[in-house]
Amino acid sequence: MSTTTSSRPSTTAAPRRQRPRRRNALRYGGNRLRYAGIVALFLAPSLIPLTLFTLVPMVSSLWVALHDWNLITPMEFVGLANFRDLLSDGDTWAAFGHTLGYIAGYLPLVYLLGLAAALALNTALRGRNVFRAAYFLPVVTSWVVVALLWRWLLSPANGLVNHLLGLVGIDGPGWWTDPTWAMPSVILASAWKDLGFVMIILLAGLQAIPGELYDAAKVDGTSAWQRFRHVTLPLLSPSSFFVVVISLINGFQVFDQVYVMTGGGPAGSTEVVVQQIYDLTFRYGRAGDASALSWLLFVVVLVVTIIQVRGQRRWVTYA
């Protein structure tokens, strides 16, 4: 009796030859390095100036903040003494107080005026393109020009504002020559210049809101105020968040208008943080203290921005 061999193929296949993991890792790493090199090549025109004129000065200023230096003689290492001196100096807290006072007056004013302008220009207004250009023109105008213009407008002697107030029987204040009215003068000039920027951002947000939502709200019998409160404001919150963050950062860095209009006066009533940094460096030759103060300002701006970013979940609606 003969035995027959089964022709059924074997179910056990030969193990595949696997490529070495090291070779795959090297190839993957090489692709990533090549990709990073290509990206760096295209970003070089922006990365090189950013590194040379922003990152390097930032690191250098931190090193200077640890020294006593008058920009002429060799630096003397003092550690954290500059930071301790600034935190115990009343002028530093006064400068931060003036800066916060400026922000408290500037931010609501520029936002409400920008929102009002955006709402008006979002309608079928005749010649609205002309008004948009007119409102945005101060944004691209030099701060020196704007500050000099408002310094003349608010001049107590021959300013246009006091002249118009006198026509209606109001005795105008001293504006930038009066310690009480100096900061409001700077706030008015700043809000007038930045109004166009806020208007453009909010106008873009308004135009992104679907019109069907307003139609549905009208069918439900809502009033204009209810539509504004329950439709416009929630859907405009991302644009409002962007405006608030940028305006706050710019508010902490206010300098140009203060320097041109008041120079920090009168009697130090408008001396803000950046003004004090400038004076410490170029008037008193205390570059170490100025660098330390700039880093204190950076920490404050960073903390405020982080709080805003985390707090946006409570009031910003992304739909």
Side-chain angles (χ1 to χ4, degrees):
M1 183 174 180
S2 62
T3 61
T4 59
T5 304
S6 174
S7 60
R8 182 181 301 175
S10 176
T11 58
T12 58
R16 294 182 179 179
R17 185 177 181 180
Q18 298 180 354
R19 296 181 179 179
R21 294 184 178 180
R22 181 178 178 84
R23 183 182 302 175
N24 292 338
L26 290 176
R27 181 177 300 176
Y28 179 70
N31 292 336
R32 293 191 63 182
L33 289 176
R34 189 181 302 109
Y35 177 76
I38 295 174
V39 172
L41 179 64
F42 280 97
L43 294 180
S46 299
L47 285 177
I48 293 176
L50 177 65
T51 302
L52 292 179
F53 300 108
T54 301
L55 299 181
V56 172
M58 285 183 62
V59 176
S60 301
S61 67
L62 181 59
W63 177 249
V64 173
L66 303 177
H67 294 76
D68 184 12
W69 188 36
N70 61 2
L71 300 177
I72 300 175
T73 59
M75 293 189 298
E76 179 183 354
F77 184 79
V78 294
L80 299 178
N82 291 331
F83 293 93
R84 290 195 299 267
D85 294 342
L86 288 173
L87 292 176
S88 61
D89 189 358
D91 292 338
T92 302
W93 295 105
F96 273 103
H98 295 156
T99 303
L100 292 176
Y102 166 83
I103 294 174
Y106 161 78
L107 184 58
L109 183 61
V110 73
Y111 178 80
L112 292 177
L113 292 178
L115 178 60
L119 291 172
L121 296 178
N122 194 41
T123 60
L125 182 67
R126 179 178 297 180
R128 60 181 179 179
N129 292 332
V130 177
F131 285 106
R132 290 176 184 176
Y135 279 120
F136 194 77
L137 184 60
V139 179
V140 297
T141 305
S142 170
W143 248 123
V144 176
V145 175
V146 172
L148 290 175
L149 173 64
W150 276 90
R151 183 182 172 93
W152 169 76
L153 289 174
L154 300 177
S155 175
N158 54 4
L160 180 61
V161 175
N162 278 1
H163 175 71
L164 296 177
L165 291 176
L167 295 178
V168 294
I170 299 177
D171 188 12
W175 296 112
W176 49 266
T177 63
D178 187 346
T180 304
W181 287 92
M183 186 59 77
S185 302
V186 176
I187 292 173
L188 284 175
S190 303
W192 181 81
K193 186 180 188 303
D194 296 337
L195 186 150
F197 171 78
V198 176
M199 177 204 69
I200 289 296
I201 300 299
L202 296 182
L203 183 60
L206 289 173
Q207 294 179 346
I209 300 177
E212 294 82 1
L213 297 179
Y214 292 106
D215 296 336
K218 290 180 182 179
V219 171
D220 291 338
T222 58
S223 63
W225 167 250
Q226 290 175 329
R227 291 192 297 272
F228 175 76
R229 180 182 176 184
H230 297 289
V231 178
T232 302
L233 285 182
L235 296 182
L236 194 62
S237 57
S239 300
S240 300
F241 172 72
F242 175 79
V243 166
V244 170
V245 171
I246 296 299
S247 299
L248 265 177
I249 294 175
N250 292 335
F252 276 108
Q253 301 180 45
V254 57
F255 171 69
D256 304 58
Q257 55 271 48
V258 173
Y259 181 77
V260 176
M261 293 183 65
T262 65
S269 59
T270 59
E271 186 176 12
V272 291
V273 177
V274 180
Q275 174 77 38
Q276 192 174 49
I277 293 173
Y278 175 86
D279 290 340
L280 287 173
T281 305
F282 299 105
R283 292 184 61 184
Y284 307 119
R286 297 164 56 186
D289 291 333
S291 298
L293 183 56
S294 65
W295 273 94
L296 289 178
L297 178 61
F298 169 76
V299 171
V300 170
V301 174
L302 180 62
V303 171
V304 172
T305 305
I306 291 175
I307 293 174
Q308 287 180 292
V309 172
R310 293 196 172 184
Q312 67 172 322
R313 303 171 184 174
R314 299 183 178 181
W315 65 278
V316 179
T317 302
Y318 293 99

